[in-house]
Structures are given as C-alpha cells and as structure tokens.
Amino acid sequence: MASLITAKAIMSHHHVLSSTRITTLCSDKAIDNQQRKTKLQISHRFFSRRTISAAVINSASPVPKKETVEDERRCHVAWTSVQQEKWEGELTVQGKIPTWLNGTYLRNGPGLWNIGDHDFRHLFDGYSTLVKLEFDDGRIFSGHRLLESNAYKAAKKHKKLCYREFSETPKPSRSNFKNPFSGVGEIVKLFSGESLTDNANTGVIRLGDGRVMCLTETQKGSILVDHDTLDTIGKFKYDDGLCDHMIHSAHPIVTETEMWTLIPDLVKPGYRVVRMEAGSNKREVVGRVKCRSGSWGPGWVHSFAVTENYVLIPEMPLRYSVRNLLRAEPTPLYKFEWCPNDGAFVHVMSKLTGEIVASVEVPAYLTFHFINAYEEDENGDGKATVIIADCCEHNADTRILDMLRLHTLRSSHGDDVLPDARIGRFRIPLDGSKYGKLETAVEAEKHGRAMDMCSINPLYLGLKYRYVYACGAKRPCNFPNALTKVDIVEKEVKIWHEHGIIPSEPFFVPRPGATHEDDGVVISIVSEENGGSYAILLDGSSFEEIARAKFPYGLPYGLHGCWIPKH
Ligand SMILES: CC1=C(/C=C/C(C)=C/C=C/C(C)=C/C=C/C=C(C)/C=C/C=O)C(C)(C)CCC1
Ligand SMILES: [Fe+2]
C-alpha cells in the first residue's frame, strides 16, 4: 500500500508532504498485512496546504519553520482534518471480536475544518465525515468518507465557505459590499433557511425501515447515506409542511416503529413535538408547547428525552438570540444568549394526546445530551407520580461552548481547563407542582468531573435503567480523555483510559438474547497523541478491553454513532 499511496501522492510539492505522512503510517507492520485489501483515494484538488502540513507535524517529520507550526505541532490528531476524502480497508484485530457482533457501527462528526486557506473556528463547524466499522465474523472492514452535502460540495467547488455553519458566516461577495440592501437580503436568506448549512455533521440514525440518515440542526441537513459504501444518497425529503421551521433537534429518538423529534419555533417561541411512523416521510404534530420564559427566543434544544408515555421538552436558559443569529462575527455564545433570570423549565407532554401534563421550573441548567428518562410510580398503584430524567449537565456553565473552539482544543492539550460536568438528574412531579428538582446523580469526582457523549442499552430507552456509558476524564485534561461506565443505582464508576487519548462516544451494543442490562459491548474510536487512531471494543459488564484494531492513519474526534445489525 505504501508504494500505491506514494505514487498517487507525489504529484506536487504539497503531495510530497502528504506522502511522507502516509508512508510513515503505512510502514506499520499491522498495515502491511492488509495491503491487498486496502484502497485509498486522495483528493488532490481540495485538501489544502494547512491540512497537509498538520499531517506532517503529526508524523513527527521535519517541519518547515513558520509561526503557526509551533501551534500545530502540539495539535492532537483529534483536532486535525482528515487527510483524504475517503479510505477503505480491513483492520488487523488484536484480541477477539465476539462472534455475535455482526453489523456496522457508523459514526458521524466534523472531520474537515478548513477550506482553501480558511481555517474554521469551532469544533462544530467541520464538514461531516462518516466512519464505519463493519464487524463480520470476527473481522473489521473499515472506512471513512466525507458526506456530500451541498455545503461541502459548494465549498470544494468555490474553495470558500458558502453557507452559514455553527460559528462561521460566509463573507459577503464584493458586489454586495456596496449594496445598501444586502443586509436585508441576508436576513431573508437566513430566515428562509437558504443561507443555512446542510452540513449534517452531528448524528447518524437508522430509521425503523432501515434507511440511514445523517443529521444536524437544520432540517435541510437530513441526508440519507448508504452505510456500506458510505455514498451520499440524497436529501431526506420530509413529506409535510414542517420544513418551514428550518431547525429541529439533532437527536431524534428512533425505535423500530417510530421517530420522535422537536421542532423549535423561533417566531412564536415554543416547540412542536412531532412523530413519524417507520417507513413514512411524513411527520405528524402531536402537540405544541409554548416557552414559559419571557425571552425572545426558545431555549436551545440539541436533544430531549422520552419515557414510555411522555415526551420531555427542555427549556434551557441558553436561548436562541436573533441578534446573534444575524451577526457575521461570532459572539462568545455563538447563536445563543444565556438568560438564567428568565427561568429554566422542563415540560412533559403526553405521547397519546399531546397534552402538557407537567411544566415545572427547575434550577438553571445546561445540557446538550439527555441520557434517558423513565416514569416512577411511588405509590405502587400503577400510576406514574414522577418522571426521572438524566442528562450530561455542565453545571449551568456556558464556558464549555467556547472550550470547544479549535484554537483552544489545539493549544491547551495537557492543561486542566475542562469545565466540570456531571450527571444531572431531574425529578419532575406529575401532581401539578410548580417546581422540579435537579440533583447530581453520582459524585462527579468519580468520573473526573467530565460527562458527555453518552449512550445506554437501547432496550432500556424510556425505562428504568442502571448503566450509563459516556466520556469522562482522568485529570488534568482539556477535553474528556477517558471512557466511563456509571452505575447510577450503586453509584459506582469504572474508567477506561490510556495516556494521551481522545476517545469518541462509547456506543453500547447489546448481545442478542442478553438478560442483563450491561451484557454487550461498547464501541469507541480513539484518537491518539502520536497521530494514530484505533477502534476499541470494551466488555459492557467488566468494562475491560476485548479487542482493538488500529487504523493506518489518524482519525479526528467524532460525535455520535449508530448500529446497523446484519440481517
Ligand atoms: C445552532 C445552529 C446551527 C448548528 C448547530 C449545530 C451544528 C450544533 C451541534 C451541536 C453539538 C454537536 C453539540 C455537542 C456537544 C458536545 C459536548 C458539549 C461535549 C462535551 C465534552 O465534554 C446551524 C444549523 C448551523 C444554524 C442554526 C443554529
Ligand atoms: Fe449531540
């Protein structure tokens, strides 16, 4: 493989640099074993000088002397753009993959953070990069590929940012500089959704009918992919009038039969709760909840939770801000503002009737990811009296958003600057009380005061459960650097960590036929300090390593994944 890649890469000065990196990695013994099966394709036109120089730096090769190099030298591969548009090949497995594990783990996340000479600012800005691990009878066939969103294709074609990303706004064209009406045009393009990105870099889900969809928070960023080839199939076309509302939660809740999601209303602050039957493209509005705070915008809703009978709608003090949405330059809170004085709420809607059965004020909170929720029947008469909802809670401290700026992530490696997080547990009474509680479920010190990117056994969705898998920390760190299993009943925590790693979301796959909640495996993809990366498999119960498989190159950090079983 080394000679194949070198031949492809030595086409220009820049590609001599990229070949240095790839040849170095490919001389790895494990990779030599699979040369025949490996295909690599480098996009020569698009990947820029910066991407390539970062690659050289990560391979510890001699580097050109320039000011940015010192910064980049310290840059962990987790925050370094992928080096090629796609790759596929078999990975060499150390250890033994359970024979029952047959199917594909797919992970989505931002993997390319520069366009031409422009470097993106925030982790969430990067172009969607899918990584697959296909488990087949003890072997792993892997690959990655950039998603062909319109935003990515336009950037590639014009060598510049063309759509509004999380923190980035395209520069106005020269002709628009002098046009006094261009500001109005920008507002129209923003509120019609035209200028918003479809870069579906956040999650990937398998719908009940088997279709696989990548998502971000714009509805137009719902994109179908082929989980085998990683080809982009095309837009998921919602067959309803709800797309006018532009944005939705990036984390719909999907089962074999249905999908639930929330659609925030920016005009009349509130949320629509919608349901889509498996096999359909049409969402039905089950109900609507009005925001209780007097702020202009609804609270940001990245994710939410469901129980067997209810949908929980969070109304956080981190709210959409029209001023910040319109600003070209990012504010410290990007599109949002922090309004704790306007209150923090959780609403509960009946799945059956769409009625609001509880709406409680709670202490200020900041969460991106709900873990799970369930109903509790305290009187033992079969009627739920309280709802318990757990989330990764950032102690109502918005600094986490700015911590995820690429410059900070790249330059603070080794410093203990990650703000604290915990498992926040809401208790929401169903007796008409005005207030709900928010407590710490397990002493945060036990998981290094970091807690995000969580998963549970999917068979326990909406039900009383015991185990949370998430990214935690071994301090000091500037980003969660460990995998953790939290027993929220016994309040015990297991940690898996290796020096210098940045692991992505630990994803739990239950063993078919299992009778214990933690009988299964946990999959994660780990970016290493030395520029490499590997897939890791932990036993869901002991949380010990079962197997790992090294990639022939370094993969950046990724966000969320899904499991597609082989039938
Ligand atoms: C907010 C708007 C947009 C984009 C939203 C996006 C891309 C949101 C992505 C959020 C993610 C990936 C949150 C993850 C959080 C992870 C954490 C806190 C990890 C912590 C580790 O400790 C647009 C769609 C671009 C436009 C409208 C507004
Ligand atoms: Fe997320």
Side-chain angles (χ1 to χ4, degrees):
M1 184 172 71
S3 58
L4 164 74
I5 296 161
T6 308
K8 276 199 170 195
I10 304 180
M11 287 177 74
S12 72
H13 173 68
H14 292 156
H15 299 118
V16 172
L17 295 181
S18 72
S19 75
T20 313
R21 149 84 167 160
I22 293 166
T23 310
T24 311
L25 288 173
C26 291
S27 63
D28 190 307
K29 242 195 206 149
I31 303 312
D32 286 343
N33 292 339
Q34 12 166 349
Q35 288 177 5
R36 276 165 290 121
K37 297 164 201 137
T38 304
K39 284 187 248 158
L40 179 93
Q41 191 171 327
I42 299 173
S43 165
H44 297 292
R45 273 170 297 126
F46 183 52
F47 289 95
S48 76
R49 171 187 52 74
R50 278 172 187 277
T51 311
I52 289 162
S53 66
V56 173
I57 287 154
N58 280 333
S59 71
S61 306
V63 288
K65 280 195 174 49
K66 57 178 180 139
E67 216 178 347
T68 57
V69 162
E70 270 312 306
D71 250 12
E72 289 179 356
R73 186 193 295 280
R74 287 191 301 268
C75 172
H76 198 287
V77 70
W79 322 121
T80 305
S81 295
V82 281
Q83 304 303 301
Q84 60 272 340
E85 212 162 49
K86 63 177 180 178
W87 177 86
E88 69 181 273
E90 185 175 359
L91 306 183
T92 303
V93 175
Q94 287 170 27
K96 201 162 159 31
I97 312 268
T99 49
W100 59 263
L101 192 69
N102 285 302
T104 300
Y105 167 72
L106 211 56
R107 187 193 79 173
N108 195 0
L112 181 74
W113 291 281
N114 57 286
I115 214 79
D117 265 351
H118 178 71
D119 286 322
F120 287 175
R121 201 177 280 120
H122 199 276
L123 176 63
F124 302 163
D125 289 329
Y127 290 109
S128 160
T129 306
L130 284 163
V131 182
K132 79 160 184 180
L133 298 172
E134 184 188 339
F135 294 87
D136 184 5
D137 223 5
R139 296 166 74 182
I140 303 181
F141 298 91
S142 183
H144 85 254
R145 186 157 183 177
L146 273 109
L147 180 78
E148 294 276 320
S149 60
N150 290 341
Y152 173 61
K153 286 191 292 192
K156 196 159 57 158
K157 184 166 167 201
H158 302 291
K159 298 193 172 57
K160 63 175 190 184
L161 184 78
C162 301
Y163 290 86
R164 283 171 182 262
E165 298 294 340
F166 178 79
S167 85
E168 303 267 347
T169 309
K171 290 206 175 69
S173 62
R174 272 172 172 272
S175 58
N176 262 350
F177 265 130
K178 292 188 187 124
N179 176 357
F181 301 110
S182 69
V184 180
E186 283 308 310
I187 296 173
V188 172
K189 279 193 203 156
L190 173 63
F191 283 96
S192 67
E194 191 189 327
S195 59
L196 286 180
T197 189
D198 66 343
N199 171 23
N201 66 2
T202 304
V204 55
I205 54 172
R206 178 193 171 274
L207 295 167
D209 59 17
R211 290 178 291 177
V212 177
M213 172 154 72
C214 295
L215 292 142
T216 179
E217 297 203 1
T218 49
Q219 296 203 34
K220 71 202 260 202
S222 305
I223 301 182
L224 293 170
V225 292
D226 179 319
H227 70 270
D228 188 28
T229 59
L230 303 186
D231 282 346
T232 301
I233 296 173
K235 288 271 165 82
F236 183 95
K237 294 207 173 64
Y238 294 103
D239 192 8
D240 49 48
L242 297 166
C243 286
D244 295 351
H245 297 283
M246 295 177 331
I247 50 178
H248 58 182
S249 158
H251 289 279
I253 292 177
V254 198
T255 67
E256 285 300 309
T257 54
E258 59 186 11
M259 180 188 106
W260 289 89
T261 198
L262 299 189
I263 302 184
D265 191 334
L266 298 178
V267 182
K268 287 186 247 146
Y271 310 89
R272 282 178 179 78
V273 176
V274 302
R275 177 182 176 274
M276 190 171 81
E277 194 77 31
S280 166
N281 282 33
K282 186 171 178 180
R283 295 162 298 181
E284 316 256 345
V285 179
V286 174
R288 188 181 185 284
V289 59
K290 249 172 82 174
C291 286
R292 280 184 53 189
S293 101
S295 308
W296 170 82
W300 185 12
V301 57
H302 181 69
S303 79
F304 63 102
V306 294
T307 67
E308 276 182 287
N309 298 297
Y310 303 105
V311 179
L312 272 79
I313 304 122
E315 187 184 338
M316 287 202 293
L318 187 64
R319 296 179 169 277
Y320 276 98
S321 151
V322 75
R323 229 175 5 166
N324 293 348
L325 273 164
L326 286 170
R327 283 214 174 122
E329 281 307 308
T331 69
L333 291 176
Y334 304 93
K335 312 282 188 273
F336 310 101
E337 58 190 342
W338 180 242
C339 315
N341 297 334
D342 294 345
F345 308 91
V346 179
H347 314 278
V348 182
M349 182 182 286
S350 156
K351 281 180 172 175
L352 196 64
T353 64
E355 267 175 279
I356 298 297
V357 299
S359 176
V360 292
E361 184 161 5
V362 291
Y365 64 100
L366 177 66
T367 183
F368 300 90
H369 298 116
F370 274 83
I371 300 168
N372 199 15
Y374 59 90
E375 297 156 27
E376 216 158 48
D377 154 22
E378 290 164 316
N379 302 331
D381 61 2
K383 201 163 173 276
T385 53
V386 65
I387 287 180
I388 306 292
D390 296 334
C391 66
C392 305
E393 207 277 309
H394 292 265
N395 293 330
D397 179 352
T398 57
R399 280 180 307 153
I400 182 67
L401 261 188
D402 232 27
M403 267 308 297
L404 303 178
R405 279 166 66 119
L406 291 162
H407 174 75
T408 312
L409 292 168
R410 287 170 178 162
S411 59
S412 60
H413 190 57
D415 302 339
D416 199 20
V417 290
L418 179 71
D420 294 358
R422 59 171 175 163
I423 298 182
R425 167 159 286 199
F426 290 104
R427 289 184 69 82
I428 306 159
L430 295 175
D431 62 359
S433 306
K434 279 190 178 166
Y435 299 99
K437 283 190 180 148
L438 172 59
E439 283 159 1
T440 302
V442 175
E443 194 194 329
E445 201 62 53
K446 291 186 178 173
H447 47 75
R449 289 176 279 114
M451 177 51 53
D452 218 303
M453 312 309 283
C454 49
S455 78
I456 58 160
N457 181 331
L459 300 171
Y460 287 73
L461 174 72
L463 302 174
K464 191 160 183 154
Y465 74 116
R466 180 166 172 185
Y467 300 111
V468 181
Y469 300 93
C471 293
K474 268 262 184 269
R475 300 279 174 162
C477 64
N478 70 339
F479 194 81
N481 60 356
L483 298 175
T484 174
K485 174 186 178 186
V486 183
D487 177 338
I488 44 172
V489 174
E490 293 301 322
K491 319 264 180 218
E492 281 165 4
V493 176
K494 290 188 162 84
I495 297 269
W496 182 87
H497 169 80
E498 275 177 5
H499 177 79
I501 60 161
I502 308 275
S504 65
E505 177 184 78
F507 188 89
F508 182 86
V509 182
R511 186 178 66 79
T515 50
H516 289 98
E517 185 181 330
D518 57 351
D519 185 354
V521 295
V522 173
I523 304 171
S524 174
I525 297 173
V526 176
S527 307
E528 295 177 281
E529 200 174 38
N530 67 6
S533 58
Y534 57 89
I536 187 87
L537 226 66
L538 303 180
D539 178 86
S541 171
S542 67
F543 216 50
E544 274 164 19
E545 177 172 340
I546 308 174
R548 70 171 65 194
K550 199 162 167 46
F551 281 85
Y553 55 102
L555 271 171
Y557 181 69
L559 294 168
H560 305 290
C562 71
W563 176 251
I564 300 138
K566 190 165 273 170
H567 286 299

